[in-house]
Amino acid sequence: MIFLEWLFLTIALCDAAEPWQLGFQDAATPMMQGIIDLHHDIFFFLILILVFVLWMLVRALWHFHYKKNPIPLRIVHGTTIEIIWTIFPSIILMFIAIPSFALLYSMDEVVVDPAITIKAIGHQWYWTYEYSDYNSSDEQSLTFDSYMIPEDDLELGQLRLLEVDNRVVVPAKSHLRMIVTSADVLHSWAVPSLGVKCDAVPGRLNQTSILVQREGVYYGQCSEICGTNHA
């Protein structure tokens, strides 16, 4: 079983959107792994609540059917049960809140000394990337534009609405800092496998940190309704 899991994880990693996909893409950063783990933890509590509520509904429909109890009781509330269904949800919310707060704070944490800093500038409808650490002057800045490849120009095996002409190359197992802004309208730089979604706001610099744990090609999309050609 361990061998099969290792085999499928190394061959069939999901780093892009797939047809009829219901789950997450495979995590490539600790942040995305934390998001997936939190989702699974919350889903566990949801299943317990769903089973309990269904059991209560079926039990109430069965025992309080008009044929079994033609004369209804005068009891309209019970203090004990009201205390119980107030305390138990509060305890469940505490179990959900503690790991979620830790994840939220870690997502907002910015690395003080990153290995590399990349600036992403959103345009209608393309991205401009600038490797800020290697800029000696405006004339010698390491900057390039990244356009989405039209469907007519796609090669065999390339993904529709996801492939670009110039990919961003970053080192693995190194702390990265992304600075995101926009030159015209609101954009959103998002890569699901990396657990990153950062808004690009005109006149403002937003930043986020990334630690890519494995090598691969990760696909993202603009998550704002900014235009027709910014998938």
Side-chain angles (χ1 to χ4, degrees):
M1 182 64 68
I2 297 178
F3 174 76
L4 291 177
E5 292 180 357
W6 173 84
L7 181 65
F8 283 104
L9 285 175
T10 53
I11 293 179
L13 287 171
C14 177
D15 294 330
E18 295 181 347
W20 302 97
Q21 181 178 348
L22 297 178
F24 292 98
Q25 297 181 16
D26 290 318
T29 61
M31 203 64 60
M32 188 60 192
Q33 189 61 51
I35 294 173
I36 295 176
D37 293 341
L38 179 63
H39 170 269
H40 293 345
D41 294 340
I42 295 178
F43 210 80
F44 170 77
F45 290 107
L46 290 179
I47 295 298
L48 293 181
I49 295 172
L50 176 63
V51 172
F52 176 73
V53 171
L54 286 177
W55 176 74
M56 291 291 293
L57 288 174
V58 173
R59 186 175 183 274
L61 292 174
W62 174 262
H63 289 285
F64 295 96
H65 194 267
Y66 71 95
K67 291 184 179 180
K68 292 181 177 293
N69 295 281
I71 301 176
L73 296 177
R74 296 289 183 179
I75 299 176
V76 294
H77 70 276
T79 305
T80 304
I81 189 64
E82 290 182 0
I83 293 175
I84 291 175
W85 71 38
T86 301
I87 293 178
F88 269 87
S90 302
I91 296 175
I92 293 175
L93 289 176
M94 288 179 57
F95 277 103
I96 295 175
I98 293 174
S100 66
F101 286 158
L103 182 62
L104 285 174
Y105 279 114
S106 62
M107 292 176 68
D108 289 337
E109 185 178 358
V110 179
V111 178
V112 178
D113 188 18
I116 188 173
T117 300
I118 301 176
K119 184 177 181 181
I121 305 172
H123 300 270
Q124 289 184 316
W125 292 281
Y126 63 96
W127 290 96
T128 297
Y129 294 99
E130 176 183 308
Y131 287 76
S132 304
D133 297 333
Y134 303 97
N135 289 351
S136 58
S137 64
D138 293 338
E139 292 79 12
Q140 297 179 354
S141 61
L142 185 54
T143 307
F144 62 91
D145 297 331
S146 181
Y147 288 85
M148 183 180 66
I149 299 178
E151 294 184 38
D152 298 335
D153 298 334
L154 289 175
E155 299 179 359
L156 184 63
Q158 290 185 330
L159 302 177
R160 173 179 172 269
L161 301 181
L162 291 176
E163 298 288 349
V164 293
D165 55 357
N166 293 317
R167 292 175 176 175
V168 178
V169 180
V170 297
K173 299 182 181 179
S174 300
H175 289 284
L176 314 175
R177 177 170 59 189
M178 289 295 305
I179 299 178
V180 184
T181 186
S182 174
D184 36 47
V185 298
L186 290 175
H187 300 280
S188 184
W189 194 81
V191 184
S193 292
L194 305 182
V196 177
K197 182 179 180 183
C198 188
D199 290 336
V201 183
R204 177 174 178 176
L205 294 177
N206 292 330
Q207 62 179 347
T208 183
S209 299
I210 305 173
L211 175 60
V212 183
Q213 292 183 311
R214 57 182 172 85
E215 297 179 0
V217 180
Y218 307 105
Y219 296 90
Q221 292 181 317
C222 182
S223 297
E224 285 286 349
I225 307 176
C226 62
T228 179
N229 294 321
H230 214 184

